[in-house]
Amino acid sequence: MTRLDTARIRAARQRIDPAFLDSPLFRCEALERDLGCAVSIKLETANPVRSFKARGTEVVASALADNHASAVVCASAGNLGQALAWSGRDRGLDVTVVASRFAPAAKLERIRALDARLELVDGDIETARERAAAIARRDGIRLVEDSLDLETCEGAATIGLELADTLPAFDAVLIALGGGALATGVGHVLKERAPEVEVICVQPLGAPAMTRSWHQQRVVSTDSTDTIADGVAGRFPIPAVLNDLLLVADDAVLVQEASIIAGMRMLFERAGLVVEPSAALGVAAILENRDRFAGRHVVTIVCGSNVDEAAYRRWIGAAPEHRS
């Protein structure tokens, strides 16, 4: 049995600010010659926090405000923290975000700019989760746990509703896999509304825990991660989320760092999109599996564009200087 419920997912749309709904979906013919298949982009970066995460935090913050809560805390690699800060600020919530001090500076600065209290820890996202849980216990406030909390999955699942409304336009959807909220949410809706669509999850080779867990059908953790795709670099899959993923994913694949960078470069050069590494995972999967996708119509969810400029320029190569 899955934890997700389609009726709640439909109701979630009523709690989400329209700024985060009905994101652009368009066929990107400029990518197709290089990739050998029809490619449509679901653009989850054209919103105030430049990622899909606010679909979930809007549901969380709305419910907290209804219950007259005053504060909330989360751990974040950067995007969830921005989203919760945005959703909480407009509802009068005191938001605390715990993040690794090694997270991208652009993400940390944006969290501060949205008036959240930011606490930095040494270590990775797993260390941040431990600290956020300790703050929640100490202060008696709501801890938002990405992917474990159903609101984060069912908020993300509204993307699936929007994709399902376009059927029968595509054969497969490529979804970045980290904690699992995006993959389980979108996958749940598509398997219910369009079971013929192949749901393929994509994770970096340097952060393979959830993918290995899916293939072995049990939780497999890793001691460390080594990837530029910080947004999906978890080490400890959540058992309940894995159970949901096993019900909706048709496959889970790992891609190399070079393919992620090539995907970022292609999205910039062919589609005019500046994306963070996690958002290029779908393109990376096509690059590494051209025969699998040849002649098919694939949707890739571009899930975030919060990236440090200096790192981005290193990865894709410096853009030409503007000349007046």
Side-chain angles (χ1 to χ4, degrees):
M1 294 291 292
T2 180
R3 300 178 304 146
L4 281 73
D5 179 80
T6 303
R8 285 199 307 263
I9 293 166
R10 292 187 181 281
R13 284 186 59 88
Q14 308 308 311
R15 290 182 173 267
I16 299 172
D17 188 307
F20 302 104
L21 295 173
D22 300 310
S23 57
L25 174 65
F26 59 93
R27 185 163 169 179
C28 187
E29 294 185 14
L31 286 171
E32 295 177 3
R33 183 177 63 182
D34 294 313
L35 297 178
C37 61
V39 181
S40 288
I41 289 173
K42 182 65 167 168
L43 190 63
E44 288 296 311
T45 64
N47 62 54
V49 299
R50 300 192 297 195
S51 83
F52 77 95
K53 294 288 189 181
R55 291 184 185 247
T57 60
E58 283 287 281
V59 181
V60 171
S62 177
L64 287 173
D66 288 348
N67 292 322
H68 307 292
S70 60
V72 62
V73 60
C74 75
S76 175
N79 286 345
L80 179 73
Q82 291 179 70
L84 187 61
W86 195 95
S87 298
R89 182 185 63 179
D90 286 356
R91 292 172 176 85
L93 295 171
D94 181 8
V95 177
T96 299
V97 178
V98 184
S100 168
R101 67 178 67 257
F102 307 109
K107 294 182 177 182
L108 300 180
E109 287 305 313
R110 184 60 178 158
I111 292 169
R112 293 188 181 99
L114 289 167
D115 299 328
R117 179 180 299 107
L118 179 63
E119 180 172 323
L120 300 179
V121 297
D122 293 318
D124 61 8
I125 184 61
E126 308 299 350
T127 306
R129 289 191 178 108
E130 293 174 2
R131 177 57 183 160
I135 292 172
R137 290 191 298 269
R138 182 194 69 195
D139 297 343
I141 60 175
R142 167 70 185 272
L143 170 66
V144 175
E145 297 185 80
D146 199 12
S147 301
L148 178 60
D149 288 357
L150 276 175
E151 299 100 324
T152 63
C153 302
E154 292 180 343
T158 59
I159 298 170
L161 293 177
E162 294 166 17
L163 289 175
D165 287 342
T166 71
L167 290 171
F170 57 94
D171 304 305
V173 60
L174 295 165
I175 309 174
L177 179 61
L182 183 61
T184 58
V186 172
H188 171 81
V189 173
L190 290 181
K191 284 306 164 190
E192 186 172 280
R193 295 268 310 267
E196 72 280 5
V197 173
E198 191 176 17
V199 175
I200 304 170
C201 304
V202 190
Q203 200 165 35
L205 187 63
M210 186 62 98
T211 296
R212 289 180 180 174
S213 298
W214 184 87
H215 281 282
Q216 297 187 33
Q217 299 186 43
R218 63 179 180 85
V219 170
V220 178
S221 61
T222 61
D223 294 331
S224 62
T225 61
D226 184 15
T227 179
I228 62 172
D230 59 285
V232 293
R235 295 187 288 117
F236 300 111
I238 299 168
V241 181
L242 175 60
N243 290 339
D244 292 335
L245 191 67
L246 288 169
L247 293 173
V248 301
D250 294 299
D251 199 1
V253 301
L254 297 172
V255 295
Q256 300 178 58
E257 298 295 289
S259 299
I260 298 172
I261 293 171
M264 294 172 68
R265 185 179 295 114
M266 288 182 67
L267 285 165
F268 174 70
E269 294 177 347
R270 303 288 188 270
L273 297 175
V274 174
V275 305
E276 61 188 83
S278 299
L281 288 170
V283 174
I286 302 173
L287 286 170
E288 292 193 10
N289 299 274
R290 291 176 187 271
D291 291 344
R292 176 176 185 173
F293 298 108
R296 304 177 74 191
H297 188 168
V298 179
V299 170
T300 182
I301 300 175
V302 173
C303 55
S305 63
N306 293 295
V307 63
D308 286 338
E309 180 181 357
Y312 183 79
R313 286 180 177 272
R314 287 198 307 272
W315 292 328
I316 72 161
E321 292 183 4
H322 174 73
R323 295 172 186 251
S324 55

